[in-house]
């Protein structure tokens, strides 16, 4: 049995281009996992093994790998930075105990790092911070530390200071031990020497050392009192306090270096071992009630003595078959065991289990609480399913995924391709819960839905290359919704007499606009028995089934409250089906009178532009019906935050590059639904009607 206190399950996450994958490569090199480091810009990084990743130099899937440092076992997940793939970050954080947030020394706290930081806060994952790329022009460690305080509202605890800046960056000072590490220019991580602190840095090091001790001893009242009386705490005590504060997220130990130049990475590994929690030190995962989804008050304690419980957090299809990545929370798992999938109620036998190293694998015969492993060839397991001991069924807290906001229609280029396309898309949907597919009933088109243009672009690319399916791709479509603006009180009677028993159902109801994001709510305030209680579910079902198609252009309806306050029934002719039909008729009759309105998805857009192009970028966002929320000048340019309707953002990257001579960047994520201006709504409704007429 391995000792769980020597386990670290960590993720590395950051904005696009802050150097996560390079940092992961360096960690693998230092821990002896790989002998030659691959570079992202050469398309040879170990964890970026998809063709699309090597080509674009970005990480798309989160890759898992295991390595060892100072007899601690680390399971590391390198996550993507791009906003269209945040689902990968979110699902990885769900199963990790700690993380390393990587920030670029010159770019600082960028939009995507904010989103990821927010996810990590929600998942309550302890983190250390690594400010990378300090050898770059414009890099400034203390400026980034200031941004972490201001933009992320976090408390960075400075643990190292850089020696030299930009091109002269050659090493770091460890503030806790007051030692300086300087690397030579061979580019080898092990080629460093410990030297005296540079004389011009002595005062700064003393100042930060004092700050560090003061912040750390706040975690222990006795030590703090002794320290205030002039007693220096021991190194063990300080480390214990830093560990405690990191675990409760009171502060985040902050390091600096350059992963690409191999400077400062050892200190990160030491910090992971010294300060990030082991699986047993993290609050255990809550168990939920299978039917209601509410917490039961029980937890999956991380120990091998409890029954087996694990969460499937990622599914990947590769040349060896389907891989299901699982995080084991409690108990142990042996090859040949039979386990229960509590979401489907079916049992499965565990065939092969493997420990992953990017796309290579080592066979395992058993695994235990705290491990992150992959199981080969599981059936019917989806992301977020709980796997458990059949004798002790349970459900772990599930994952919640964002709704797709953009869709494209696709068709195979040749007739024979449709079956192949169906199988391939099926595999891809299982892998990525934020990617969905549906068939349009009227036109028979296949519609792919995703989180953004890049997301769908890469999916089409994977279909073409990995699965050999050539597609014809239609124009991107926006996921519009409908709602109502005025309350209405109305009555509807359904009656039908056709020999034998008839059908009768009368309902009096109010329909009114609901709170934003409330979806559909139904309430009944009928007094007396004018409508018997047993028919309420049928009436609710009737209204609910009609919410899929609104009165304006047939888009799903959001945020509507229906209240049933009276009605009438017939002792013989009334039935559940009669009341369900009455509710459907009521919807058709009343919704057009309730001031229906078209809603469009509005995106939170974050644009980075050099200063001389700010005017053009803001003017362009205004033309796209954008609301500018905030702009803030940084060292290398200006960040503009705005809310812009998704319909106006297609092809934005091209316009932005043209306006900023290729130097602008942007990211966007779904913010909320908002009413469409009339002129836009009229066009959308006319287009939808024309489409239906053409069918």
């Amino acid at each position: 049995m391995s000792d769980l206190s020597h386990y670290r399950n960590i993720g590395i996450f950051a904005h696009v281009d802050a150097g996560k994958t390079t940092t992961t490569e360096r960690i693998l090199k230092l821990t002896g996992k790989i002998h030659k480091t691959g570079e992202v810009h050469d398309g040879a990084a170990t964890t970026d093994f998809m063709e699309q990743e090597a080509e674009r130099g970005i990480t798309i899937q989160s890759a898992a790998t295991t390595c060892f440092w100072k007899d601690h076992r680390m399971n590391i997940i390198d996550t993507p930075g791009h906003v269209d793939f945040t689902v990968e970050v979110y699902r990885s954080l769900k199963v990790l105990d700690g993380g390393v947030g990587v920030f670029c020394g010159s770019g600082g706290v960028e939009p995507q790092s904010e989103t990821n930081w927010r996810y990590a806060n929600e998942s309550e994952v302890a983190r250390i911070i690594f400010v990378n790329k300090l050898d770059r022009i414009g890099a400034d460690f203390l400026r980034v530390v200031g941004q972490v305080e201001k933009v992320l509202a976090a408390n960075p605890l400075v643990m190292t200071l850089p020696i030299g800046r930009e091109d002269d960056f050659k090493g770091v000072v460890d503030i806790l031990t007051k030692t300086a590490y300087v690397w030579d220019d061979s580019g080898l991580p092990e080629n460093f020497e410990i030297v005296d602190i540079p004389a011009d840095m002595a005062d700064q090091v003393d100042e930060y050392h004092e700050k560090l001790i003061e912040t750390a001893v706040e975690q222990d009242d006795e030590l703090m009192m002794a320290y205030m009386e002039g007693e220096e705490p021991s190194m063990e005590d300080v480390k214990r306090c830093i560990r405690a504060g990191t675990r409760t997220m009171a502060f985040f130990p902050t390091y600096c270096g350059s992963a690409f130049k191999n400077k400062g990475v050892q200190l990160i590994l030491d910090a992971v071992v010294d300060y990030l929690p082991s699986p047993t030190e993290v609050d255990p995962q809550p168990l939920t009630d299978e039917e209601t989804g509410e917490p039961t008050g029980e937890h999956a304690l991380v120990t091998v003595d409890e029954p087996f419980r694990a969460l499937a957090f990622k599914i990947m299809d590769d040349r060896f078959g389907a891989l299901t990545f699982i995080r084991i929370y409690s108990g142990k798992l042996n090859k040949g065991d039979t386990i229960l999938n509590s979401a489907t109620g079916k049992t499965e036998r565990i065939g092969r289990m493997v420990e992953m190293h990017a796309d290579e694998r080592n066979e395992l015969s058993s695994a235990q609480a705290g491990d992150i492993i992959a199981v080969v060839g599981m059936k019917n397991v989806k992301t977020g399913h709980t796997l458990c001991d059949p004798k002790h069924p349970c459900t772990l807290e599930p994952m919640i995924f964002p709704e797709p906001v953009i869709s494209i229609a696709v068709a195979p280029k040749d007739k024979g391709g449709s079956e192949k396309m169906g199988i391939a898309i099926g595999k891809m949907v299982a892998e990525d819960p934020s990617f969905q597919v549906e068939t349009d009933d009227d036109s028979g088109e296949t519609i792919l839905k995703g989180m953004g243009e890049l997301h769908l672009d890469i999916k089409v690319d994977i279909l073409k290359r990995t699965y050999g399916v050539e597609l014809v791709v239609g124009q991107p479509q926006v996921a519009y919704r409908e709602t109502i603006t005025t309350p209405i009180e109305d009555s509807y009677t359904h009656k039908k007499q056709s020999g034998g028993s008839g059908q009768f159902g009368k309902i009096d109801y109010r329909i009114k606009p609901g709170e934003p994001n409330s979806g559909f709510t139904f309430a009944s305030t009928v007094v007396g028995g004018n409508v018997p209680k047993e028919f309420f579910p049928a009436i609710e079902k009737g209204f609910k089934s009609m919410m899929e198609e609104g009165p304006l252009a047939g888009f799903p309806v959001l945020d509507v409250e229906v209240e049933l306050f009276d009605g009438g029934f017939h002792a013989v002719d009334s039935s559940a089906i009669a009341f369900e039909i009455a509710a459907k008729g009521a919807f058709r009759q009343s919704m057009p009178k309730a001031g229906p309105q078209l809603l469009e998805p509005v995106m939170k857009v974050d644009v980075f532009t050099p200063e001389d192009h700010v005017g053009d970028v803001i003017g362009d966002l205004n033309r796209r019906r954008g609301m500018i929320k905030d702009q803030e000048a940084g060292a290398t340019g200006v960040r503009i935050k705005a809310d812009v309707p998704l319909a106006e953002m297609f092809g934005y990257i091209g316009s932005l590059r043209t306006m900023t001579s290729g130097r602008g960047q942007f990211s966007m994520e779904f913010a909320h639904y908002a009413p469409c201006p009339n002129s836009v709504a009229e066009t959308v409704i006319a287009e939808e009607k024309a489409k239906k007429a053409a069918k």
Side-chain angles (χ1 to χ4, degrees):
M1 299 305 293
S2 18
D3 177 1
L4 280 176
S5 66
H6 283 221
Y7 270 58
R8 297 289 179 273
N9 289 321
I10 60 167
I12 294 184
F13 53 88
H15 187 78
V16 180
D17 261 4
K20 301 176 294 301
T21 302
T22 308
T23 306
T24 309
E25 285 288 309
R26 297 307 183 262
I27 288 175
L28 297 180
K29 172 81 170 67
L30 270 172
T31 55
K33 249 300 182 178
I34 49 178
H35 302 296
K36 171 185 169 293
T37 35
E39 297 306 347
V40 175
H41 50 257
D42 299 337
T46 314
T47 51
D48 284 356
F49 50 83
M50 286 168 65
E51 283 175 29
Q52 290 80 0
E53 295 181 305
E55 217 170 84
R56 297 172 193 236
I58 61 172
T59 304
I60 296 169
Q61 290 188 329
S62 34
T65 181
T66 304
C67 58
F68 292 84
W69 180 254
K70 297 193 172 168
D71 14 301
H72 282 65
R73 174 199 175 104
M74 294 185 190
N75 293 319
I76 299 177
I77 296 185
D78 173 27
T79 64
H82 201 286
V83 64
D84 288 7
F85 309 105
T86 42
V87 57
E88 288 282 338
V89 180
Y90 172 79
R91 68 160 109 198
S92 304
L93 281 167
K94 178 88 185 158
V95 296
L96 295 169
D97 306 321
V100 180
V102 182
F103 296 103
C104 169
S106 60
V109 176
E110 293 168 289
Q112 200 49 47
S113 34
E114 278 182 61
T115 306
N116 293 344
W117 194 264
R118 194 175 70 237
Y119 280 156
N121 283 344
E122 286 166 10
S123 306
E124 295 183 6
V125 171
R127 278 147 283 170
I128 55 180
I129 293 172
F130 176 42
V131 178
N132 189 19
K133 300 196 176 183
L134 283 187
D135 52 326
R136 295 239 325 228
I137 290 175
D140 180 342
F141 175 60
L142 293 175
R143 193 188 84 245
V144 180
V145 169
Q147 283 185 334
V148 169
E149 288 176 341
K150 188 174 149 221
V151 181
L152 303 178
N155 182 8
L157 181 66
V158 176
M159 303 291 289
T160 58
L161 285 170
I163 302 173
R165 296 184 59 153
E166 298 177 359
D167 284 352
D168 299 330
F169 172 70
K170 52 180 184 288
V172 299
V173 176
D174 179 341
I175 293 171
L176 186 59
T177 56
K178 291 193 181 178
T179 34
Y181 296 82
V182 173
W183 280 263
D184 62 18
D185 287 330
S186 66
L188 292 169
E190 47 277 13
N191 285 8
F192 65 87
E193 46 185 347
I194 293 177
V195 297
D196 292 335
I197 293 173
D200 58 350
M201 286 181 72
D203 292 348
Q204 191 191 19
V205 170
D206 285 342
E207 178 198 338
Y208 275 95
H209 179 77
E210 199 165 308
K211 251 193 196 165
L212 173 65
I213 305 292
E214 276 174 15
T215 310
V217 294
E218 282 173 6
Q219 298 293 316
D220 183 322
D221 293 345
E222 283 177 30
L223 278 182
M224 191 161 105
M225 296 307 290
Y227 179 68
M228 285 165 83
E229 283 161 17
E231 197 180 312
E232 276 289 310
S234 71
M235 191 60 88
E236 277 69 51
D237 281 339
V238 176
K239 279 190 161 176
R240 181 172 53 81
C241 288
I242 297 175
R243 191 178 173 88
T246 305
R247 210 195 106 194
T248 56
M249 304 198 303
F251 46 71
F252 301 93
T254 301
Y255 292 80
C256 62
S258 159
F260 181 54
K261 296 274 170 64
N262 271 315
K263 294 173 181 169
V265 181
Q266 284 95 330
L267 294 160
I268 299 284
L269 285 169
D270 290 345
V272 167
V273 166
D274 289 342
Y275 307 129
L276 286 180
S278 74
T280 50
E281 292 171 310
V282 180
D283 290 340
Q285 280 284 327
L287 298 178
T288 54
D289 184 293
E290 212 166 319
E291 279 162 18
T292 61
E294 294 297 311
T296 56
E298 285 185 81
H299 288 82
L301 300 175
V302 180
T303 158
V304 287
D305 307 326
E306 288 256 321
F308 171 72
R309 301 186 183 106
L311 186 73
F313 69 96
K314 181 173 168 55
I315 289 160
M316 215 168 99
D317 199 74
D318 71 359
R319 59 187 190 277
F320 302 102
L323 283 176
T324 306
F325 281 86
I326 64 171
R327 158 75 198 261
I328 303 177
Y329 284 106
S330 53
K332 49 181 186 285
L333 183 63
N334 297 311
K335 202 169 157 172
D337 281 358
T338 298
I339 56 157
L340 170 73
N341 175 345
S342 65
T344 59
K346 295 199 166 78
T347 54
E348 291 205 31
R349 192 162 169 277
I350 297 290
R352 291 169 55 210
M353 295 192 293
V354 292
E355 175 184 283
M356 293 299 289
H357 170 45
D359 62 345
E360 290 172 32
R361 56 200 56 206
N362 307 322
E363 296 274 339
L364 299 172
S365 56
S366 71
Q368 62 167 38
D371 277 336
I372 291 180
I373 60 159
V375 182
V376 184
M378 293 190 89
K379 296 176 188 64
N380 306 324
V381 175
K382 290 201 167 76
T383 297
H385 281 182
T386 300
L387 307 176
C388 54
D389 180 337
K391 294 192 200 75
H392 300 90
C394 71
T395 305
L396 288 156
E397 191 177 49
M399 302 181 177
I400 298 148
F401 295 108
E403 283 292 310
V405 288
I406 175 174
S407 60
I408 49 173
V410 294
K413 266 197 179 146
D414 47 70
K415 286 248 160 52
S418 59
E419 191 180 332
K420 205 162 149 193
M421 175 180 88
I423 294 168
I425 290 176
K427 287 181 176 175
M428 287 162 65
V429 170
E431 288 178 19
D432 179 355
S434 64
F435 173 60
Q436 295 176 6
V437 63
E438 63 180 42
T439 307
D440 186 311
D441 296 341
D442 303 329
S443 65
E445 285 181 317
T446 301
I447 312 279
L448 305 184
K449 300 177 164 189
M451 302 307 296
E453 277 185 287
L454 178 70
H455 191 197
L456 292 179
D457 191 24
I458 283 177
K459 296 294 180 199
V460 169
D461 204 38
I462 293 173
L463 279 166
K464 179 172 153 186
R465 281 203 233 176
T466 314
Y467 297 104
V469 181
E470 289 273 356
L471 294 177
V472 181
V473 180
Q475 282 298 312
Q477 299 295 319
V478 176
Y480 290 102
R481 295 287 181 265
E482 297 183 22
T483 191
I484 53 171
T485 53
T486 45
I488 178 167
E489 190 170 300
D490 214 340
S491 173
Y492 187 88
T493 307
H494 166 69
K495 59 173 182 235
K496 193 171 166 201
Q497 202 63 46
S498 55
S501 66
Q503 289 182 352
F504 179 84
K506 174 175 184 287
I507 53 175
D508 296 340
Y509 53 91
R510 297 183 187 97
I511 294 181
K512 59 176 192 235
E515 290 293 311
N517 300 324
S518 61
F520 165 72
T521 47
F522 176 80
S524 161
T525 52
V526 179
V527 278
N530 290 351
V531 178
K533 274 200 176 59
E534 65 261 31
F535 298 136
F536 293 170
I539 296 168
E540 179 174 0
K541 185 179 164 200
F543 275 114
K544 198 170 186 174
S545 66
M546 298 295 283
M547 291 288 158
E548 286 303 304
E549 283 196 26
L552 284 173
F555 292 112
V557 182
L558 292 182
D559 309 338
V560 171
E561 284 182 25
V562 175
E563 179 199 343
L564 175 72
F565 67 89
D566 205 356
F569 80 108
H570 185 283
V572 180
D573 293 353
S574 283
S575 63
I577 195 91
F579 275 104
E580 191 180 319
I581 295 170
K584 288 180 175 174
F587 180 93
R588 279 193 289 268
Q589 166 183 297
S590 305
M591 287 300 272
K593 299 190 268 188
Q597 185 178 47
L598 199 64
L599 299 175
E600 60 181 351
V602 173
M603 308 301 279
K604 195 166 107 191
V605 179
D606 220 311
V607 187
F608 174 83
T609 163
E611 281 194 4
D612 33 354
H613 301 293
V614 174
D616 300 344
V617 171
I618 288 183
D620 179 66
L621 287 171
N622 286 331
R623 273 195 298 283
R624 294 173 187 269
R625 302 192 281 125
M627 288 270 301
I628 309 293
K629 285 290 178 70
D630 187 27
Q631 57 186 48
E632 138 192 2
T636 49
V638 179
R639 275 183 59 191
I640 300 162
K641 293 185 178 186
D643 283 353
V644 192
L646 174 66
E648 307 289 342
M649 289 299 290
F650 292 134
Y652 181 63
I653 187 72
S655 324
L656 181 66
R657 283 184 183 146
T658 313
M659 277 185 292
T660 59
S661 330
R663 290 188 301 163
Q665 287 179 325
F666 88 106
S667 75
M668 65 178 186
E669 59 182 317
F670 173 68
H672 54 263
Y673 274 98
C676 261
N678 283 342
S679 56
V680 176
E682 280 161 17
T683 317
V684 173
I685 293 166
E687 281 174 5
E688 285 301 309
K689 289 197 169 139
K691 263 194 218 165
K692 291 199 168 112
K695 289 165 189 169

